[in-house]
């Protein structure tokens, strides 16, 4: 079976590794185009691109799949199935209908909850107790296709984006391997609309912690957003909070985040452009 793989992020990379290490026939890897980075604007390849080159896989990096030329190139690989994981480009109808088995997507939620771009962040922001992975037959909607397979996992009360992301990417890779191996025998189930929610991209204002919000809301913000959350000014600068917890001691060598119903203890903080520090190290630096 001829597989075209489409993905861009670390979430995608885990699935590509598993498929490749199990010697499935990946005829081409599609990923986002390299982007300029740093002062020298050197083009930086995606992690998927780097892995594909390292392992001798053919790579395509079109800016769009909507042109006749891009479709002709994809068609030339004669895929039996296209596996998609956090790719970042819209697949038009002709692409969805090209392979014998269609396009199969690895989605980081237990659909129909959290369709869309930021399912892991939205699950944590909402304080969900469970989430999961769904392997889905893609259609022209946003994560509305028929369900092939899905598994649910519990979200720990102290779990953050990174830990949940890492668990889900491993689960998704194992599930897609099973699906691809058994693609001729799988059943597809229509996805229900009942319980559907949409995981919008994270907006810039959502990174700001608000003292008028509850402890639960601010706690969930910090653990959901891996870049951290802006909190307060010191010498006309925002500081970025990376980890908080509900207060467990009266230790005065710390910082507290005021909320409408109490305080959260700040554990990790960052001055913009500097490294992330434990709060005690941060306070010693302020006193120096």
């Amino acid at each position: 079976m001829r597989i075209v793989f489409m993905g861009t992020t670390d979430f995608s990379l885990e699935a590509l590794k598993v498929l490749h290490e199990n010697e499935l026939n990946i005829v081409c890897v599609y990923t986002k185009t390299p982007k300029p980075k740093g002062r020298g604007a050197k083009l930086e390849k995606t992690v998927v691109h780097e892995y594909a080159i390292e392992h001798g896989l053919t790579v395509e990096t079109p800016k769009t799949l909507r042109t006749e030329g891009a479709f002709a190139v994809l068609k030339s690989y004669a895929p039996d199935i296209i596996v998609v994981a956090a790719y970042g480009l819209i697949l038009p109808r002709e692409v969805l209908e090209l392979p014998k088995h269609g396009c199969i997507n690895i989605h980081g939620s237990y659909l129909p909850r959290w369709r869309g771009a930021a399912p892991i962040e939205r699950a944590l922001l909402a304080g969900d107790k469970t989430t999961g992975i769904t392997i889905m037959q893609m259609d022209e909607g946003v994560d509305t296709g028929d369900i092939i397979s899905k598994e649910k996992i519990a979200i720990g009360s102290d779990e953050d984006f990174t830990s949940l992301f890492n668990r889900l990417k491993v689960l998704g890779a194992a599930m897609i391997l099973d699906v691809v191996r058994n693609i001729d025998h799988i059943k597809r189930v229509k996805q229900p609309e009942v319980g559907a929610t949409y995981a919008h991209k994270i907006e810039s204002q959502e990174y700001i912690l608000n003292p008028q919000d509850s402890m639960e809301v601010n706690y969930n913000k910090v653990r959901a957003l891996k870049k951290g959350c802006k909190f307060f000014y010191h010498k006309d600068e925002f500081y970025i909070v990376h980890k908080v917890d509900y207060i467990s001691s009266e230790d005065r060598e710390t910082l507290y985040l005021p909320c409408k119903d109490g305080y959260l203890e700040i554990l990790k903080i960052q001055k913009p452009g500097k490294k992330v520090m434990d709060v005690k190290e941060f306070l010693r630096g302020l006193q120096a």
Side-chain angles (χ1 to χ4, degrees), residues 89-160:
L89 291 184
I90 294 173
L91 276 57
R93 179 184 293 179
E94 57 267 28
V95 172
L96 296 173
E97 295 176 349
L98 175 62
K100 172 184 175 182
H101 297 291
C103 299
I104 308 297
N105 179 248
I106 310 168
H107 185 74
S109 80
Y110 198 75
L111 290 173
R113 186 160 178 79
W114 301 128
R115 298 169 175 171
I120 300 175
E121 293 95 329
R122 292 297 171 194
L124 289 168
L125 284 168
D128 289 359
K129 304 301 182 186
T130 61
T131 186
I133 287 288
T134 304
I135 308 298
M136 175 193 65
Q137 188 81 40
M138 295 180 71
D139 61 15
E140 290 186 273
V142 178
D143 301 324
T144 56
D146 292 348
I147 291 172
I148 294 169
S149 175
K150 62 180 182 176
E151 289 191 29
K152 184 180 288 187
I153 62 170
I155 300 175
S157 60
D158 60 347
E159 192 150 33
D160 62 11

Side-chain angles (χ1 to χ4, degrees), residues 40 80 95 108 155 166 201 239 243 255 274 288:
D80 295 303
V95 172
I155 300 175
N166 287 337
K201 288 183 179 179
Y239 280 72
K243 187 174 183 180
L255 291 174
K274 303 296 183 180

Side-chain angles (χ1 to χ4, degrees), residues 33-54:
T33 56
K35 290 183 177 181
K37 186 176 182 180
R39 292 183 179 179
K42 183 179 178 180
L43 292 178
E44 183 178 63
K45 298 179 178 68
T46 71
V47 291
V48 169
H49 196 158
E50 293 284 5
Y51 179 88
I53 290 174
E54 182 182 348

Side-chain angles (χ1 to χ4, degrees), residues 106-240:
I106 310 168
H107 185 74
S109 80
Y110 198 75
L111 290 173
R113 186 160 178 79
W114 301 128
R115 298 169 175 171
I120 300 175
E121 293 95 329
R122 292 297 171 194
L124 289 168
L125 284 168
D128 289 359
K129 304 301 182 186
T130 61
T131 186
I133 287 288
T134 304
I135 308 298
M136 175 193 65
Q137 188 81 40
M138 295 180 71
D139 61 15
E140 290 186 273
V142 178
D143 301 324
T144 56
D146 292 348
I147 291 172
I148 294 169
S149 175
K150 62 180 182 176
E151 289 191 29
K152 184 180 288 187
I153 62 170
I155 300 175
S157 60
D158 60 347
E159 192 150 33
D160 62 11
F161 175 88
T162 299
S163 63
L164 185 56
F165 177 92
N166 287 337
R167 287 206 293 145
L168 288 173
K169 74 179 184 182
V170 171
L171 176 59
M175 290 172 65
I176 195 64
L177 176 62
D178 182 66
V179 166
V180 172
R181 280 176 165 171
N182 296 285
I183 195 69
D184 289 319
H185 309 290
I186 60 172
K187 295 181 180 179
R188 296 160 175 81
V189 178
K190 186 173 177 59
Q191 187 179 152
E193 287 298 320
V194 175
T197 56
Y198 188 74
H200 293 277
K201 288 183 179 179
I202 305 300
E203 301 292 340
S204 58
Q205 67 269 18
E206 294 183 86
Y207 286 94
I208 300 173
L209 296 169
N210 186 350
Q212 300 305 311
D213 286 335
S214 68
M215 289 188 290
E216 181 180 12
V217 167
N218 282 320
Y219 178 82
N220 286 338
K221 267 193 175 184
V222 174
R223 70 185 185 126
L225 306 177
K226 67 176 180 177
K227 294 180 181 179
C229 296
K230 294 179 180 179
F231 172 40
F232 63 88
Y233 278 105
H234 177 75
K235 297 181 180 179
D236 296 326
E237 287 185 299
F238 265 119
Y239 280 72
I240 302 169

Side-chain angles (χ1 to χ4, degrees), residues 30 64-76 92 94-95:
Y30 274 64
T64 179
L65 293 173
R66 294 186 177 277
T67 66
E68 289 185 9
F71 180 71
V73 172
L74 177 59
K75 189 175 180 180
S76 71
E94 57 267 28
V95 172

